[in-house]
Amino acid sequence: MSDFWVLARKEIMNLVRDKKLLFGLIIVPLILYPAMGKMIQVGFEQAQEETHVAIVNFDEGRYGELLIKALNVTPNVTVTVIGAESLQDALEKASREEQNVLVIIPSNFTYAIENNLRAEIEIYGIFNTIGTGMRESVSETRIRAVVDVLSEELAKIKVKRAGFDNPEAVLESVGAVSKSVIRGRIVDVPPSIVSSVLASQSLSLPLIVFLMVTITAQMSAGAVAAEKENKTLETLLTLPVKRRTIVASKIAGTAVMGLVAALAYMIGLRNYLGNFQADAGISLEDLGLGITPEGMLLFAVIVFLTIVFALALAMLLAVYAEDVQSANTVVSSVILPLAFPAFLLMFVDLSQLPAFARYGLLAIPFTHPIAAYRYAVTGEYQMMLLSIAYLALVGGATLYLTARIFSSEKVLTAKISWGKGKKGVL
Amino acid sequence: MKAVLVENLEKDYGKVKALKGISFEIKEGEIFGLIGPNGAGKSTTLKILTTLLQPTAGRAEVFGHDVVKDAGEVRRIISYLPEEAGAYKNLTGLEYLRFMARLYAKDEERSEEMVELGIRIADLGERLKDKVSTYSKGMTRKLLLARALMVRPKLAILDEPASGLDIINAYTIRKTIKRFAREEGVTFLVSSHNMLEVEFLCDRVALINEGRIVESGAPGELKDRYGAENLEEVFMRVIGVEIPEPVGGEGS
Ligand SMILES: Nc1ncnc2c1ncn2[C@@H]1O[C@H](COP(=O)(O)OP(=O)(O)OP(=O)(O)O)[C@@H](O)[C@H]1O
Ligand SMILES: [Mg+2]
């Protein structure tokens, strides 16, 4: 085995055996996130169960009966007709029977319809226990839908009676069919749906990049600071191993763990978000926005280079910290502000920013994976190659600096430059 | 060939002058002691010899290799036990020895040999299979000494090898070093402020005080020269402190 593998293996073993780390990196995303999502989903499902509706019919004509029949045949709705003297009486009864919605059909319901007046029913959502209110709201929506259908049908009949052949054309004189044009191709999907599919992508990607960068940065800084804290650094630096190899093995070790963590977060997040957005049913591929293998490869290279940069920077910073805790503080205070602008890209399109803002954002390596993902989708590979060149340059320079500082005595004495050297005198 | 050659070595930590020009030599196969009080500059000297620190002025060689220009080569032939050191807490003692052996040995067979030797020196029995985080200070120190010696370096540099240990552990560690030097012919550079330890261990010593070497020679020779009963008295005479009666215990 080469020195590099021996060191990298130790690094990974050390991280894998760290229970706290393992909990935060693997257990939380793989178990806690999906569990949270499940809990919310259960809430949704409960809301989508049978709607129990109590109806009080004060109407004497035939349209009140018709509405009750229509509701009765509506799926997922159970109707209980209750007799009551007054609104107050009806509410009390409904409440006692644990109904969550009460519909009141007024006495002038049929009269109004027949005389071309606007008929109105009243819907009461009854909050017996203060929960999420989701049941009540779902029930209301269902009843409204039934009422809308009923009212549309009545309108059609009335319009027909008034002498129009095509009632639909009168009721909806102007219709709109929406389609999208993607990369010059017409797709039979409304822009709103395309936008929501894209939005869900641009929401989760920056989040994952952000998590990955901060987690791996903390890990690699921790790996350096722990050597100081546990007094293993001096021994490590006198081993017959090139300093470059030490730096590279630490980066490789934490990068492997970082990738595992990223995978865990990705799966966890997908499960978590999946609980909310299972409905769209349209993927990027369906929209003709699939990523080609070349695009995927370029994207992977960009993510890799970004992580290498983050790791090298974190190790460089960790040299100035005396223990793990202060390393975390130093790294957070430098990496977090740097990684944060990446979130801006969730809301703005790089190409629409003024030049200085665009280059300002692109100067920060962490924005590149997000921008690159969009370029991969749109097939602008030259832009991705530029990203790779830039990241290789910045990452290489940081790596060089880190290796340099590890080859000098600074790695042991750097804290002195903060003016509080306190070693030696006993 | 000289194992160690140090000439006019100086080291400044910012404003603090830790070494003000020290010179000494160590012959191959010797156990050489660097002794002096706290803050004298012992650790600083050792850190320069182990390539951890760069000298401000002067030069140092280990078996003819310059510690600055030839740092890589020096690291290949030395092994260093720092004054304050730990081992990787999440590894077991045995895993730690294996990890270290693999970095020194070029093949698996050699590395297993080293581990075997390490196991014997550490003398921790079954506890070697437990995580280092569960070890006492003395056990950790033994493990670290074992890892420093098992690689059979040409020069072993030990900074206060028995510091912080009880008398029994300190005794066994000194025994181990002495036996190892005799059996394996390894050259030792040991620092200490415990004069008893030094008298027991060392063939030759250098007394260091405030960044300067104030005296050197074999312990017996020094005692004769100053008409002293032990090295502690020698040291006091050398730095000009008059003591009416010898005081027992650790010198510092
Ligand atoms: N990292 C450092 N920064 C600043 N000054 C230092 C540093 N390390 C050591 N010194 C100073 O250099 C001088 C020599 O220290 P050194 O550690 O070499 O002493 P020592 O002989 O090993 O002492 P001890 O017996 O206490 O270990 C001391 O004055 C100490 O304060
Ligand atoms: Mg010391």
Side-chain angles (χ1 to χ4, degrees):
Chain A
M1 259 193 290
S2 72
D3 294 346
F4 172 79
W5 284 115
V6 175
L7 287 165
R9 227 180 60 139
K10 179 223 93 193
E11 216 57 56
I12 292 171
M13 210 140 91
N14 220 16
L15 290 171
V16 166
R17 296 223 181 126
D18 191 332
K19 298 227 171 53
K20 274 177 295 185
L21 207 64
L22 216 58
F23 182 78
L25 291 189
I26 317 241
I27 310 292
V28 169
L30 274 189
I31 295 178
L32 239 49
Y33 274 20
M36 252 158 63
K38 262 277 150 355
M39 259 142 54
I40 295 170
Q41 196 186 26
V42 167
F44 268 129
E45 270 165 7
Q46 270 182 355
Q48 315 224 310
E49 284 167 5
E50 281 291 309
T51 296
H52 293 275
V53 185
I55 295 192
V56 181
N57 188 2
F58 292 122
D59 183 39
E60 264 114 48
R62 57 195 183 107
Y63 285 108
E65 287 297 327
L66 190 67
L67 176 60
I68 292 175
K69 269 191 205 131
L71 283 173
N72 242 330
V73 297
T74 311
N76 297 333
V77 177
T78 322
V79 180
T80 315
V81 180
I82 50 178
E85 297 302 314
S86 65
L87 173 63
Q88 199 53 43
D89 186 23
L91 282 174
E92 266 162 33
K93 279 187 181 159
S95 181
R96 215 176 306 128
E97 289 177 33
E98 296 190 356
Q99 304 280 359
N100 40 11
V101 175
L102 173 68
V103 175
I104 307 274
I105 306 176
S107 56
N108 65 350
F109 190 64
T110 302
Y111 174 84
I113 291 172
E114 284 175 345
N115 292 285
N116 294 334
L117 298 170
R118 186 179 162 92
E120 243 159 29
I121 62 165
E122 287 164 358
I123 306 172
Y124 293 86
I126 304 168
F127 291 80
N128 279 321
T129 55
I130 301 299
T132 54
M134 263 194 247
R135 266 164 197 270
E136 288 74 11
S137 112
V138 168
S139 308
E140 189 204 347
T141 319
R142 280 183 186 154
I143 294 163
R144 272 187 188 281
V146 172
V147 170
D148 282 348
V149 170
L150 191 67
S151 110
E152 200 179 313
E153 289 307 317
L154 288 174
K156 279 183 197 162
I157 293 167
K158 284 185 189 176
V159 169
K160 203 159 194 166
R161 267 199 217 130
F164 293 94
D165 284 340
N166 191 351
E168 277 96 353
V170 177
L171 288 170
E172 258 187 82
S173 332
V174 181
V177 181
S178 32
K179 298 180 182 189
S180 309
V181 182
I182 298 168
R183 283 201 230 165
R185 204 163 63 82
I186 297 173
V187 181
D188 239 346
V189 177
S192 55
I193 293 188
V194 173
S195 139
S196 84
V197 170
L198 290 178
S200 77
Q201 297 288 338
S202 62
L203 172 81
S204 46
L205 193 73
L207 211 60
I208 287 169
V209 169
F210 181 78
L211 283 172
M212 212 152 65
V213 162
T214 47
I215 290 171
T216 50
Q218 295 284 16
M219 260 194 313
S220 71
V224 173
E227 299 264 9
K228 289 195 174 190
E229 194 176 303
N230 300 328
K231 310 267 186 244
T232 50
L233 185 60
E234 290 187 355
T235 309
L236 181 69
L237 294 177
T238 56
L239 297 179
V241 179
K242 290 203 180 65
R243 300 282 169 89
R244 274 204 306 275
T245 312
I246 294 178
V247 172
S249 68
K250 276 209 185 299
I251 285 182
T254 37
V256 166
M257 287 301 288
L259 286 180
V260 171
L263 212 66
Y265 270 92
M266 212 130 57
I267 294 169
L269 210 63
R270 180 126 310 163
N271 275 338
Y272 176 66
L273 293 175
N275 289 312
F276 309 111
Q277 42 173 232
D279 43 18
I282 288 178
S283 65
L284 285 175
E285 283 75 22
D286 298 337
L287 299 177
L289 285 179
I291 299 179
T292 61
E294 293 92 331
M296 210 57 208
L297 183 72
L298 289 177
F299 178 66
V301 172
I302 287 172
V303 170
F304 173 77
L305 289 175
T306 310
I307 289 182
V308 168
F309 166 76
L311 293 179
L313 180 64
M315 283 177 67
L316 190 64
L317 294 170
V319 164
Y320 293 89
E322 277 176 68
D323 50 37
V324 176
Q325 190 136 21
S326 48
N328 282 341
T329 316
V330 174
V331 167
S332 307
S333 54
V334 174
I335 302 257
L336 283 187
L338 273 183
F340 205 72
F343 276 102
L344 276 181
L345 293 184
M346 274 163 67
F347 312 108
V348 298
D349 200 337
L350 262 184
S351 57
Q352 277 157 23
L353 287 175
F356 78 92
R358 183 161 71 229
Y359 293 124
L361 274 178
L362 282 177
I364 302 171
F366 302 133
T367 55
H368 284 254
I370 295 153
Y373 189 76
R374 296 211 183 140
Y375 290 136
V377 167
T378 54
E380 291 168 77
Y381 298 145
Q382 312 90 299
M383 294 303 287
M384 296 177 84
L385 288 172
L386 277 180
S387 274
I388 289 178
Y390 176 70
L391 288 175
L393 201 75
V394 176
T398 318
L399 217 51
Y400 175 75
L401 272 180
T402 310
R404 267 293 292 276
I405 208 165
F406 266 80
S407 306
S408 73
E409 61 174 53
K410 274 241 161 46
V411 67
L412 288 177
T413 58
K415 62 198 170 198
I416 291 171
S417 64
W418 289 7
K420 45 178 180 187
K422 53 183 181 200
K423 240 193 93 195
V425 196
L426 293 175
Chain B
M1 170 170 266
K2 286 171 200 123
V4 174
L5 173 69
V6 172
E7 266 180 19
N8 299 319
L9 209 57
E10 289 179 30
K11 177 67 186 173
D12 302 346
Y13 294 105
K15 279 192 223 85
V16 184
K17 279 201 167 306
L19 300 180
K20 300 167 185 161
I22 64 169
S23 307
F24 63 90
E25 284 177 20
I26 304 177
K27 292 197 239 6
E28 201 171 344
E30 241 180 356
I31 303 185
F32 186 89
L34 198 57
I35 53 180
N38 293 134
K42 303 182 294 292
S43 299
T44 304
T45 310
L46 300 197
K47 281 181 192 166
I48 291 173
L49 283 169
T50 52
T51 76
L52 289 173
L53 296 180
Q54 257 116 54
T56 311
R59 72 192 182 103
E61 281 178 6
V62 176
F63 286 96
H65 302 288
D66 189 281
V67 295
V68 178
K69 287 188 223 101
D70 252 349
E73 197 51 46
V74 171
R75 278 180 221 140
R76 208 156 295 138
I77 53 178
I78 61 161
S79 96
Y80 171 52
L81 175 64
E83 181 173 8
E84 273 180 84
Y88 298 103
K89 286 187 181 158
N90 289 327
L91 302 185
T92 67
L94 194 59
E95 281 168 342
Y96 179 72
L97 293 180
R98 281 229 164 85
F99 159 66
M100 287 294 179
R102 286 200 177 117
L103 292 176
Y104 281 88
K106 287 302 145 226
D107 57 80
E108 200 59 18
E109 200 183 322
R110 287 268 312 282
S111 107
E112 270 315 300
E113 258 174 50
M114 285 184 185
V115 173
E116 286 301 317
L117 180 58
I119 293 172
R120 256 185 292 136
I121 300 173
D123 191 28
L124 290 173
E126 282 298 302
R127 292 301 306 275
L128 219 45
K129 297 199 178 98
D130 294 341
K131 278 200 188 173
V132 170
S133 55
T134 68
Y135 288 8
S136 74
K137 208 192 227 171
M139 293 167 70
T140 309
R141 199 74 184 154
K142 280 182 175 171
L143 179 71
L144 291 170
L145 180 73
R147 95 90 208 147
L149 299 186
M150 73 180 184
V151 302
R152 292 196 179 88
K154 288 181 87 171
L155 171 68
I157 300 180
L158 313 179
D159 198 349
E160 302 194 21
S163 82
L165 299 188
D166 62 43
I167 47 168
I168 299 170
N169 276 313
Y171 180 80
T172 42
I173 278 192
R174 281 173 209 141
K175 275 267 189 226
T176 310
I177 294 170
K178 196 139 192 179
R179 178 156 22 91
F180 202 79
R182 213 180 302 125
E183 286 169 8
E184 307 281 342
V186 171
T187 310
F188 277 85
L189 168 54
V190 178
S191 91
S192 180
H193 50 72
N194 181 338
M195 310 285 165
L196 260 168
E197 170 170 297
V198 170
E199 263 192 89
F200 172 80
L201 264 183
C202 300
D203 303 321
R204 243 159 30 90
V205 298
L207 306 186
I208 180 170
N209 190 37
E210 293 177 355
R212 289 201 173 88
I213 302 260
V214 288
E215 188 57 275
S216 66
E221 206 180 291
L222 290 179
K223 281 189 284 189
D224 287 349
R225 199 180 303 163
Y226 287 88
E229 276 176 34
N230 53 39
L231 278 181
E232 224 160 78
E233 263 183 67
V234 173
F235 191 82
M236 290 310 193
R237 298 249 161 91
V238 168
I239 61 171
V241 177
E242 288 300 330
I243 33 168
E245 278 166 40
V247 182
E250 291 208 344
S252 57

